């Protein structure tokens, strides 16, 4: 898919542009459209085409979607939908207006203006709140899930323009 040409995914998602690519999926800025003019800017994480036929990778992607659907916390990006359309497995998630912590720290370093101790502590405390929630989460049968992020790094911490701290990519 060309990143500059919007492409329809099913009847409610319009993939606007690719904003990232990882090991097994690519991420798109997307417009969700419904009846009577309803529109919402979201993110679609779509399994890369070369993995669609790999049952193990598909299973991992589905497990990620199921887990992410259970995570409902102000410091964790929300998941709205999961599915498969025409062989494309996807997860629809909250679109965050802001920057990842890696980019923020890099820019602060370039400007010789590192984050203050107060800013760093605020961000760390919000990360801890989200992770404590995830670690304590139980499934619908009240069994502990023992969730581990596996890549809790500045690249997967998002700071919104209004100061919210969100953990992404569980």
């Amino acid at each position: 898919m060309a990143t500059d040409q919007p492409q329809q995914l099913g009847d409610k998602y319009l993939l606007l542009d690719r904003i990232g690519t990882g090991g097994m999926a690519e991420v798109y800025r997307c417009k969700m459209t419904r009846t009577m003019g309803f529109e919402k800017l979201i993110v679609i994480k779509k399994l890369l085409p070369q993995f669609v036929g790999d049952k193990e990778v598909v299973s991992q992607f589905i497990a990620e979607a199921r887990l992410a659907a259970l995570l409902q916390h102000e410091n964790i990006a929300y998941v709205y939908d999961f599915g498969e359309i025409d062989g494309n497995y996807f997860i629809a998630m909250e679109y965050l207006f802001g920057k990842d912590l890696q980019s923020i720290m890099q820019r602060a370093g370039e400007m010789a203006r590192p984050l203050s101790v107060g800013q760093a502590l605020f961000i760390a405390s919000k990360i801890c709140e989200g992770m404590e929630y995830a670690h304590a989460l139980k499934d619908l049968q009240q069994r502990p899930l023992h969730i581990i992020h596996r890549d809790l790094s500045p690249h997967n911490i998002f700071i919104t323009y209004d100061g919210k701290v969100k953990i992404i990519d569980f």
Side-chain angles (χ1 to χ4, degrees), residues 121-138:
L121 289 173
F122 174 78
I123 293 167
S125 72
K126 296 302 178 183
I127 294 167
C128 288
E129 287 176 22
M131 290 307 299
E132 192 280 329
Y133 164 83
H135 288 304
L137 190 63
K138 296 178 181 178

Side-chain angles (χ1 to χ4, degrees), residues 62-74 76-82 91-92 130 133-147 170:
I62 292 169
E64 176 186 338
R66 286 182 178 156
L67 173 66
L70 294 173
L71 298 170
Q72 299 291 318
H73 190 272
E74 66 180 331
I76 299 173
Y78 293 105
V79 169
Y80 300 131
D81 195 9
F82 164 75
I91 302 171
Y133 164 83
H135 288 304
L137 190 63
K138 296 178 181 178
D139 68 12
L140 299 176
Q141 288 74 41
Q142 298 303 306
R143 295 178 300 227
L145 291 172
H146 306 292
I147 296 173
F170 262 88

Side-chain angles (χ1 to χ4, degrees), residues 15 84 147 159:
L15 305 178
E84 179 269 327
I147 296 173
I159 313 298

Side-chain angles (χ1 to χ4, degrees), residues 51-66:
F51 294 119
V52 171
D54 186 326
K55 289 182 181 183
E56 185 175 326
V57 173
V58 169
S59 179
Q60 289 174 350
F61 193 75
I62 292 169
E64 176 186 338
R66 286 182 178 156

Side-chain angles (χ1 to χ4, degrees), residues 142-160:
Q142 298 303 306
R143 295 178 300 227
L145 291 172
H146 306 292
I147 296 173
I148 298 171
H149 189 287
R150 297 182 194 241
D151 188 18
L152 190 59
S153 63
H155 181 72
N156 285 326
I157 304 299
F158 213 87
I159 313 298
T160 66

Side-chain angles (χ1 to χ4, degrees), residues 98-110 154-155 157:
K99 300 283 182 189
D100 65 84
L101 184 55
Q102 178 69 39
S103 299
I104 292 169
M105 291 186 330
Q106 182 177 350
R107 181 72 175 142
E110 291 168 359
H155 181 72
I157 304 299

